[in-house]
Amino acid sequence: MIRTLSVATALACGLWAGTASAQDCSGPPVYFNGEIAETEGELTVKSGKGCAFGINGIPGALKETIISQKPKIGRAGVEGLKPFYVAKPGYQGPDEFAYTFIGMSQYGGPMRITIKRKITVVP
């Protein structure tokens, strides 16, 4: 079964605490298959702005979210269980980072979903 995480639905752009803004941050949904998965997704972020990523579509119980690969240019962290990324002000170009959702699947087994974000920072 394919699951989806939607950036657009539960996204707070700015500094992860405001209303979603398509002008600051955008990207297609990320799809994964299974409870142990690694996948990639593209994202465009305005310089100096940020995104927080929702956890829609994850079956099971999350107990932790970690930044599994730090960004090279911007900064990333976790607020509650939601990961976020903030682009460095004045920077334009590529960046990337990864976050991992850890918990128990809907069937009682371990769940570990890693999502690598390939980011394009625009002015």
Side-chain angles (χ1 to χ4, degrees), residues 9 11 70 74 80 91 110:
T9 38
L11 199 57
K70 292 182 179 184
Y91 175 73

Side-chain angles (χ1 to χ4, degrees), residues 8-90:
T9 38
L11 199 57
C13 292
L15 288 177
W16 72 88
T19 304
S21 171
Q23 295 84 13
D24 292 343
C25 181
S26 64
V30 174
Y31 299 96
F32 62 97
N33 189 5
E35 284 76 32
I36 307 295
E38 291 187 21
T39 191
E40 291 186 0
E42 294 181 4
L43 194 64
T44 301
V45 181
K46 273 191 150 182
S47 180
K49 301 296 181 176
C51 303
F53 304 94
I55 52 178
N56 294 350
I58 296 180
L62 291 180
K63 66 178 185 180
E64 182 179 17
T65 303
I66 62 170
I67 301 301
S68 45
Q69 176 190 331
K70 292 182 179 184
K72 295 176 174 141
I73 309 295
R75 66 183 176 90
V78 177
E79 179 74 26
L81 293 173
K82 291 182 181 181
F84 65 85
Y85 170 83
V86 179
K88 181 178 178 180

Side-chain angles (χ1 to χ4, degrees), residues 65-120:
T65 303
I66 62 170
I67 301 301
S68 45
Q69 176 190 331
K70 292 182 179 184
K72 295 176 174 141
I73 309 295
R75 66 183 176 90
V78 177
E79 179 74 26
L81 293 173
K82 291 182 181 181
F84 65 85
Y85 170 83
V86 179
K88 181 178 178 180
Y91 175 73
Q92 293 179 51
D95 201 359
E96 65 183 39
F97 83 109
Y99 49 93
T100 302
F101 295 113
I102 301 168
M104 185 184 319
S105 77
Q106 63 185 349
Y107 305 110
M111 178 175 57
R112 186 175 185 93
I113 300 165
T114 299
I115 300 168
K116 183 175 187 176
R117 292 291 182 171
K118 294 192 175 257
I119 299 169
T120 301

